[in-house]
Amino acid sequence: MIKSMGEMLAAGWTDGKNILEEVSRELAERLINNRQPFVLVHVEDGGEVSFEGIAEYDSSELILNLSDRYGTLTEEMKDMGIDDVFYHDDFANDGGLVSLEEDSELTLYEQIDYEVNLSAFHCYLCSGKNMGDVSKLPAGSYLMIDCGETMRKVREQLKEEREKQHRTEQR
């Protein structure tokens, strides 16, 4: 189980920038409070999946799209991203939007927990993985956090530091 940001970054480099690893609730809370995208998915036996919600962030708004989408994963869907399957036409579409507030007494994680009982979900990182990978997890409820943007920013930062050091050494 990944418990820290350092462990998260190490996991991303060890298997080709793809992560499907369980994380501590504390790290999950930290990532969500820092606006990392996530999907709430239930893996069922026999290829069935259902979704309870997805984060929809833009520069000005934080939305929790609560939904009861469900269906059977097709072979085509197994190669798709989790969020693409969430919005797939073959899945039932109902639910509603909840606006989240950054300047609230409650953190983003606490606001989401108020709407959906997050303690019932296993917390996982899913950067670079598709729905086929996720569907191989044991039947259960998963809070799938996409840390890909964080990983990309850290890699860029490290690359810039290496290039700067290389230029300094060549002088």
Side-chain angles (χ1 to χ4, degrees):
M1 176 183 295
I2 297 174
K3 296 180 181 175
S4 71
M5 292 292 279
E7 289 179 10
M8 178 184 89
L9 297 172
W13 274 291
T14 57
D15 87 339
K17 304 176 191 170
N18 292 323
I19 301 175
L20 184 59
E21 299 285 339
E22 189 168 7
V23 295
S24 69
R25 190 147 311 272
E26 293 78 20
L27 181 56
E29 185 170 351
R30 182 175 171 195
L31 291 168
I32 287 176
N33 286 336
N34 284 302
R35 299 181 86 176
Q36 293 302 298
F38 65 88
V39 178
L40 301 168
V41 62
H42 305 283
V43 175
E44 315 290 340
D45 291 326
E48 300 287 315
V49 295
S50 62
F51 295 94
E52 199 161 334
I54 191 169
E56 296 180 355
Y57 300 146
D58 66 25
S59 60
S60 63
E61 265 193 306
L62 303 159
I63 302 291
L64 174 61
N65 182 344
L66 293 175
S67 188
D68 184 21
R69 296 172 186 249
Y70 56 90
T72 302
L73 280 180
T74 63
E75 287 304 312
E76 169 203 351
M77 287 181 207
K78 288 180 181 179
D79 292 331
M80 297 170 73
I82 301 167
D83 53 342
D84 293 327
V85 176
F86 178 91
Y87 292 112
H88 200 280
D89 290 341
D90 289 354
F91 277 56
N93 180 11
D94 61 6
L97 303 177
V98 176
S99 292
L100 305 172
E101 307 272 331
E102 270 196 298
D103 299 324
S104 168
E105 291 179 12
L106 299 175
T107 65
L108 291 177
Y109 186 88
E110 291 168 336
Q111 292 174 63
I112 295 161
D113 188 46
Y114 179 80
E115 300 295 332
V116 180
N117 179 8
L118 292 178
S119 66
F121 289 81
H122 301 279
C123 303
Y124 268 72
L125 298 179
C126 62
S127 175
K129 295 295 187 178
N130 59 32
M131 196 64 215
D133 298 320
V134 172
S135 68
K136 292 176 187 169
L137 292 170
S141 301
Y142 296 94
L143 166 61
M144 304 300 293
I145 303 167
D146 183 354
C147 61
E149 186 64 18
T150 297
M151 302 290 286
R152 186 188 62 74
K153 287 178 182 176
V154 169
R155 282 191 186 90
E156 284 178 5
Q157 201 172 28
L158 290 172
K159 182 180 176 186
E160 288 172 11
E161 288 174 15
R162 282 193 299 266
E163 288 172 355
K164 183 179 175 181
Q165 183 179 6
H166 182 69
R167 285 191 302 267
T168 303
E169 290 172 356
Q170 288 185 347
R171 289 184 187 168

